[in-house]
């Protein structure tokens, strides 16, 4: 695909490649690393998961069924055959896909957010809890905002079943693993919900405040991984489940 966009010629190189987990005649599933955009946007064109797949398979019609932020790692599904594109994309639009995410966030008591609802599901235990709020993303503003109004975003936040993963950083902060299950798909939903609880995700350059970093600074990945993707294939009815192997933590 040709383009005269000036950013294409000046595009920085991203030295990470996604791992292909599954391929058939209809779909491709990859384990996307941190920092790699899913699709072209802004200065990113060739160094995106989509364009790399189109080049590798020599198939210009490959299309993502959904997207992950550049900062988020994990499972992404792409559609190879254009006649099935709608079936897979509607599966995500109609929330017929079960997704879980792992993240590292501070080990400390939660805060009461200004907006929305926090509901413990196994009181008196704090977790698991359900977080609901109204999230709006305004053009030209990097951060999404929680505002008053009818809730449009819902996330289940829990602790892992296995022994807790705890990580100490150089500043002495203790981070622990949380498991996040989004029931809606608003922009930055998981990052906004965790930050509102006083548990901002490690490595987040947007929440609680915007941190300016060079585009070639890969030293502090967002500790958020789209860990599992589970669904019933809308074409042949096969039960499918894919799991990311990208670890949490630094220097792993």
């Amino acid at each position: 695909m040709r383009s005269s966009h000036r950013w294409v010629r000046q595009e920085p190189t991203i030295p990470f490649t996604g791992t292909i987990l599954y391929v058939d005649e209809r779909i491709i599933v990859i384990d996307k690393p941190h920092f790699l955009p899913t699709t072209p946007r802004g200065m990113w064109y060739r160094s995106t998961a989509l364009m790399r797949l189109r080049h590798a398979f020599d198939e210009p019609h490959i299309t993502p069924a959904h997207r992950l932020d550049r900062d988020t790692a994990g499972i992404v599904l792409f559609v190879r055959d254009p006649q099935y594109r709608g079936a897979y994309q509607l599966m995500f639009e109609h929330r017929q896909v079960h997704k879980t995410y792992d993240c590292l966030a501070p080990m400390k008591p939660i805060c009461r957010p200004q907006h929305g609802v926090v509901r413990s599901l196994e009181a008196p235990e704090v977790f698991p809890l359900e977080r609901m709020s109204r999230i709006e993303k305004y053009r030209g503003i990097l951060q999404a905002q929680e505002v008053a109004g009818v809730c449009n975003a819902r996330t289940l936040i829990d602790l892992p079943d296995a022994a807790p993963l705890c990580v100490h950083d150089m500043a002495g902060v203790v981070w622990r693993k949380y498991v996040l299950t989004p029931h809606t798909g608003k922009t930055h939903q998981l990052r906004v919900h965790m930050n509102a609880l006083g548990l901002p995700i490690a490595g987040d350059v947007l929440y609680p405040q915007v941190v300016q970093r060079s585009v070639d600074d890969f030293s502090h990945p967002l500790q958020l991984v789209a860990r599992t993707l589970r669904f019933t294939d809308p074409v042949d009815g096969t039960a499918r489940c894919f799991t990311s192997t990208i670890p949490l933590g630094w220097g792993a």
Side-chain angles (χ1 to χ4, degrees):
M1 183 178 291
R2 299 178 61 189
S3 174
S4 59
H5 196 290
R6 66 187 181 91
W7 286 114
V8 173
R9 296 194 297 270
Q10 301 173 4
E11 182 177 1
T13 299
I14 297 179
F16 309 107
T17 57
T19 301
I20 295 176
L21 300 180
Y22 177 81
V23 178
D24 65 22
E25 68 277 8
R26 297 188 301 272
I27 62 173
I28 303 169
V29 179
I30 71 165
D31 203 359
K32 186 187 82 66
H34 294 102
F35 302 110
L36 182 67
T38 300
T39 58
R41 185 177 182 182
M43 70 178 65
W44 309 110
Y45 182 78
R46 295 185 183 91
S47 290
T48 62
L50 174 61
M51 300 314 296
R52 289 180 178 180
L53 285 177
R54 287 181 175 179
H55 176 75
F57 285 83
D58 193 23
E59 295 179 7
H61 300 298
I62 293 174
T63 306
H66 63 121
R67 287 171 173 77
L68 282 186
D69 292 340
R70 174 177 178 256
D71 293 334
T72 305
I75 303 296
V76 187
L77 185 151
F78 293 83
V79 184
R80 297 180 72 182
D81 190 330
Q83 71 174 313
Y84 298 115
R85 183 180 303 160
Y88 287 100
Q89 290 178 339
L90 283 174
M91 181 178 67
F92 285 88
E93 184 177 330
H94 294 163
R95 301 172 187 168
Q96 297 168 338
V97 179
H98 184 271
K99 297 182 282 186
T100 66
Y101 292 69
D102 290 343
C103 75
L104 287 182
M107 178 185 286
K108 66 177 186 178
I110 67 170
C111 300
R112 278 287 169 183
Q114 180 179 1
H115 299 292
V117 175
V118 178
R119 183 167 68 95
S120 175
L121 301 181
E122 296 181 8
E125 300 296 328
V126 176
F127 299 100
L129 64 79
E130 185 178 55
R131 174 78 180 110
M132 295 183 292
S133 69
R134 184 168 192 83
I135 296 177
E136 299 289 352
K137 178 69 168 63
Y138 302 108
R139 183 180 297 274
I141 299 177
L142 293 176
Q143 294 177 320
Q145 308 290 326
E146 284 191 311
V147 298
V150 177
C151 295
N152 63 3
R154 182 163 68 100
T155 304
L156 175 67
I157 303 172
D158 203 356
L159 303 179
D161 293 331
L165 168 65
C166 297
V167 179
H168 295 71
D169 66 14
M170 297 297 291
V173 177
V174 180
W175 305 87
R176 75 170 304 161
K177 178 180 174 181
Y178 297 84
V179 179
L180 314 177
T181 304
H183 293 283
T184 52
K186 305 303 290 185
T187 299
H188 298 171
Q189 175 177 320
L190 302 180
R191 299 161 75 173
V192 169
H193 276 173
M194 290 296 286
N195 180 63
L197 294 172
L199 305 174
I201 298 173
D204 200 333
V205 296
L206 291 180
Y207 306 93
Q209 59 191 15
V210 176
V211 178
Q212 298 294 335
R213 290 197 179 126
S214 170
V215 295
D216 59 357
D217 181 354
F218 306 118
S219 61
H220 296 84
L222 176 70
Q223 295 299 304
L224 178 64
V225 176
R227 185 62 67 197
T228 65
L229 183 69
R230 188 171 75 246
F231 60 92
T232 299
D233 194 295
V235 178
D236 62 15
T238 301
R240 303 194 184 278
C241 184
F242 303 99
T243 302
S244 171
T245 60
I246 295 173
L248 292 173
W250 297 272

